[in-house]
Amino acid sequence: MEILKINNLKKSYIDSEGELTILNGITFEVSKGTMVAITGESGSGKSTLLHLLSLLDKADSGEILYNGKKITGSDKLISKFRNKSIGFIFQFHYLLEDFTAIENVAMPMFLATGNMKTSLLEAEKLLKRLDLINRKHHYPNQLSGGEQQRIAIARALINKPDIVFADEPTGNLDKKHSDEIFNLLRELNREIGQTFIIVTHDEEIASQLDIHYFLENGLLQLHSAE
Amino acid sequence: MNKIEFFFFKNYLFSEKKEWLRFDSLFSIIGVILSVATLTIAHSIFGGYETALKDSILGANSHIYIFQPGAANLNQEQVNDLIQDFGGKKEVEAIAPVIQIPAMAVNEGRIKGALIKGINWKAEAQPTKYRQYIRQGTWEMPDNKDVVMGKKLADELNLTIGDLVKIVSPLHSKFTPLGYKSKSKKFKIVGLYESGMYEYDSKFVFMNMQSARGFSPVSSEYSLIEIKLKSEFINKADYLAYKWEMLNDGFYQISSWIEFNGNLFMTLSFQKWILFIIISFLILLASFNIVSAVSTSIIEKKKEIGILKAFGASSFLLSKIFVGKTMILSSIGVLLGQLIGYIIAYFLSVQNFFLLKGDVYFLEKINVKFSFQDFTIIFIISILMIFVASLVPLKRVSSLQITDILRGM
């Protein structure tokens, strides 16, 4: 079953030199429980595509369907949908520095429900699962790079989203931590059937995912598949 | 405030990072504390001055005066009738006739203008606070040579309790072969009177009715009748004086304390609020610092704003959090400013090092008034100004696009 369906998505920017087309008719589908990799050169529009898919930005034309439905409405409604159905993992952990690890993980659920107690309980379960329970009261600056990214992964999963978008999740880590994070995402995919769309530079990681797309000249091409 | 906002505020105030201790936040709040303290000091001193002046005027004087129209005095029969008429009225607490004669007080070549006040000191209900204002000696003047003097007058004449003072009344001079001779007599000072009002304390010489009459050309006459009103009617004195004068067909001239002092209190009140408005500008200036601190905080927290927006936080919620943080800290600043202001004002009121010039400002001591109403007004106005100022930089929060923030991170 397709969890995400994209039809002829286009996006361009106007700058001093004129119109710059970034995405020129992207069409693809993502089935539930798959791990999709998107690679491409720097500036090819990978992050722009991710922002459009995650409804953080608006496309010039084209269609984005989640479970067959087009998500439209006010910014508030879209925010609510994003909070409930979409998870994010960024290249840099982007944890909230003023909050502890467990509070960071609980934040998306707390924003959705307003119930901190339940959110903290859920966050605790995730931290146990990711073997970070002994770090729950640490602030981001008291954690290692790998730990920070694992906290960010836990945060992306707390609302049990339909799909998680990861923008270079291992881009800021050394090989050892990078493998650790990738294995963790893989485990989560196998254990709970979590769907991931991962933008990465790392061809080795991309080649291990279920589907690998390559973004070039504003178009998405199938690179390889397992 | 919902749970999410409460959580953010709690974290802001009590987290280990103590974000509110940031240099710019702290200094913008110090600005608020100082400006609110200044406003509080000025307002409480002005309020205190107004209240003390009113208390002194109302304490040293009666509230309603009944005169014979023109310069004539009241005779005994009129006085008896008037006391009978007015003494029973529900508004009246005390009524008594008084003899008032301009005079001079003399001691060893020093001469000061004075006002003789012949009163019935024995009467239980006095129309003024004569008895309460005796600071040294006694209020009793059983002997015809006894007087109670204003303390300032005694000081200026270098006199104290037990000394003799010569009272001279040039108005009732006698022609003698050697020329005009003023009526004069020596009195013993048995009490010193201090109402706090310079004008009275440097002028009044109280003596019993019989002694005062010695300075009057006509025996058994009185200058006026003084009435003290019950406290609930004091502010209606003007109306009562008018009503009673009308009821007496204008046969007597009836005046109130408001008629003599109303303009003074109106001016004082006007000045107090003008001063309030001017000093409020200090808070406005302090609010600019807050605008700057909130703006800096928004720029610094751009990354956090982007993350929270990406995870579903609305611009409205984020704006409320920024305003809330500012308001929590500002409220503490305003309350602290008020507390510091009241403490400084209190110390100014109890010290004797710096005194006002009584002949210019009527009162010598700095008085302060602490009222819940003034406290609330200062608090609300300060908070309102800071709230409006904190809204200015908020449009930045809603204008920040998540994708721009994420790209810039």
Side-chain angles (χ1 to χ4, degrees), chain A residues 151-217:
Chain A
I151 296 288
I153 292 169
R155 180 178 64 181
L157 296 172
I158 184 112
N159 279 342
K160 299 184 176 65
D162 293 335
I163 191 162
V164 172
F165 293 99
D167 192 358
E168 303 277 10
T170 59
N172 198 34
L173 300 174
D174 57 29
K175 177 81 173 89
K176 185 186 160 221
H177 285 111
S178 175
D179 289 345
E180 205 178 281
I181 294 298
F182 173 70
N183 291 334
L184 176 63
L185 297 179
R186 213 15 158 173
E187 270 175 44
L188 290 165
N189 170 254
R190 284 181 188 141
E191 284 174 22
I192 58 173
Q194 182 64 56
T195 311
F196 285 100
I197 294 184
I198 301 170
V199 164
T200 179
H201 269 107
D202 192 330
E203 289 289 335
E204 194 189 325
I205 287 177
S207 63
Q208 292 176 57
L209 301 188
D210 303 330
I211 303 166
H212 179 183
Y213 288 111
F214 185 73
L215 186 62
E216 195 177 35
N217 298 325

Side-chain angles (χ1 to χ4, degrees), chain B residues 68-80:
Chain B
Q68 181 87 293
N73 287 330
L74 297 163
N75 62 37
Q76 188 66 54
E77 196 183 337
Q78 287 172 313
V79 166
N80 291 343

Side-chain angles (χ1 to χ4, degrees), chain A residues 47-74:
Chain A
S47 293
T48 302
L49 177 61
L50 211 63
H51 291 159
L52 292 178
L53 299 183
S54 55
L55 308 177
L56 290 173
D57 200 0
K58 283 181 181 153
D60 297 339
S61 64
E63 223 176 20
I64 302 170
L65 303 171
Y66 274 91
N67 294 314
K69 281 181 195 164
K70 193 173 176 180
I71 310 302
T72 52
S74 64

Side-chain angles (χ1 to χ4, degrees), chain B residues 209-314:
Chain B
M209 211 65 96
Q210 204 178 335
S211 303
R213 215 165 259 142
F215 289 93
S216 171
V218 189
S219 61
S220 76
E221 284 197 350
Y222 300 89
S223 309
L224 70 153
I225 282 187
E226 290 187 337
I227 291 175
K228 182 184 184 183
L229 295 172
K230 287 175 184 161
S231 59
E232 63 268 35
F233 297 106
I234 291 176
N235 288 326
K236 292 178 184 164
D238 216 13
Y239 162 73
L240 289 172
Y242 174 77
K243 187 175 95 173
W244 291 342
E245 192 173 308
M246 289 298 110
L247 286 173
N248 278 283
D249 297 327
F251 191 77
Y252 295 106
Q253 181 190 331
I254 304 180
S255 304
S256 74
W257 70 272
I258 296 172
E259 203 174 310
F260 291 119
N261 303 291
N263 285 342
L264 173 68
F265 288 111
M266 254 175 69
T267 309
L268 282 178
S269 179
F270 179 70
Q271 281 179 349
K272 186 172 85 170
W273 290 108
I274 289 290
L275 194 74
F276 185 94
I277 292 166
I278 292 168
I279 298 180
S280 296
F281 279 98
L282 284 181
I283 300 172
L284 193 68
L285 287 178
S287 304
F288 290 144
N289 286 336
I290 288 179
V291 173
S292 155
V294 176
S295 297
T296 312
S297 172
I298 290 172
I299 291 165
E300 282 183 0
K301 299 270 171 197
K302 209 163 82 171
K303 192 179 83 179
E304 280 86 346
I305 293 170
I307 296 163
L308 288 167
K309 276 190 171 183
F311 284 110
S314 65

